[in-house]
Amino acid sequence: MGPVRRALCTGVLAATALTPAAYAADGAGGVSVAPAAPAPGTDVTLEVAECAERTAVAVSSAFVSEVRLTLADGVLAGESRVRSTLTAGTYPVRVDCGESARTGTITVAPARKQPGGTAESPAASPVAPVDAGGGGAARTVAAADESEEGPGAAQTVTGLFLAAAATAAVVRSRVRRDRGTH
């Protein structure tokens, strides 16, 4: 095998071998907030996928209080309300997930306008959590026609590992064929 060909194969193998680690770091799992752009005073649902913990707490200055997340169907989920006094903008959300922290953002939309042109006063919201007992947050059932977002980080890393192994096998067979040994 010539030096140019060897360098090309080595570059492809290096890129393939390093891609899973880069993807795992970037795709470590963020925080998803629904609805995507709530107005002040709106109830929101938070979800964190691929967290090793069974419970977690999400914190943001946008929420009335910290959000307790519990495991349901492999996803940590919880509900909160956006502070009614917030101005429109983007606010950070942080979830401590075991040894790692997951981060995301919540984009708060401007307050809704009433027909008279004044800002609508949202429903009264508590300024502190109420200790009502009962233990845990209820998870809403997703609609049956809700679409999947695609493969998670674990499936992507596995696929890239298999692609790297296949590439290595092809390179090894080429090297053996070029040497004349089988």
Side-chain angles (χ1 to χ4, degrees):
M1 183 183 297
V4 173
R5 205 167 166 196
R6 184 175 298 134
L8 180 63
C9 289
T10 303
V12 169
L13 282 174
T16 304
L18 296 176
T19 300
Y23 182 82
D26 292 339
V31 178
S32 64
V33 180
T42 304
D43 290 332
V44 294
T45 301
L46 279 78
E47 290 188 351
V48 178
E50 300 175 13
C51 179
E53 301 298 318
R54 298 185 59 80
T55 61
V57 176
V59 180
S60 176
S61 61
F63 302 136
V64 172
S65 64
E66 62 186 28
V67 184
R68 302 223 180 262
L69 304 172
T70 56
L71 188 63
D73 298 327
V75 176
L76 288 176
E79 297 179 355
S80 186
R81 178 170 287 181
V82 177
R83 290 184 187 274
S84 59
T85 57
L86 280 183
T87 57
T90 303
Y91 298 87
V93 178
R94 178 183 168 94
V95 178
D96 288 324
C97 189
E99 296 179 10
S100 65
R102 307 295 167 98
T103 58
T105 58
I106 180 171
T107 302
V108 177
R112 293 172 281 228
K113 300 282 184 178
Q114 287 183 336
T118 60
E120 182 179 313
S121 175
S125 63
V127 293
V130 177
D131 187 11
R139 175 158 163 76
T140 58
V141 178
D145 62 343
E146 189 173 65
S147 63
E148 298 273 334
E149 289 187 22
Q155 290 88 0
T156 303
V157 169
T158 302
L160 290 171
F161 175 75
L162 291 172
T167 303
V170 168
V171 169
R172 192 172 81 192
S173 85
R174 291 262 178 157
V175 168
R176 284 185 176 175
R177 188 172 13 163
D178 288 348
R179 288 185 190 159
T181 59
H182 294 279

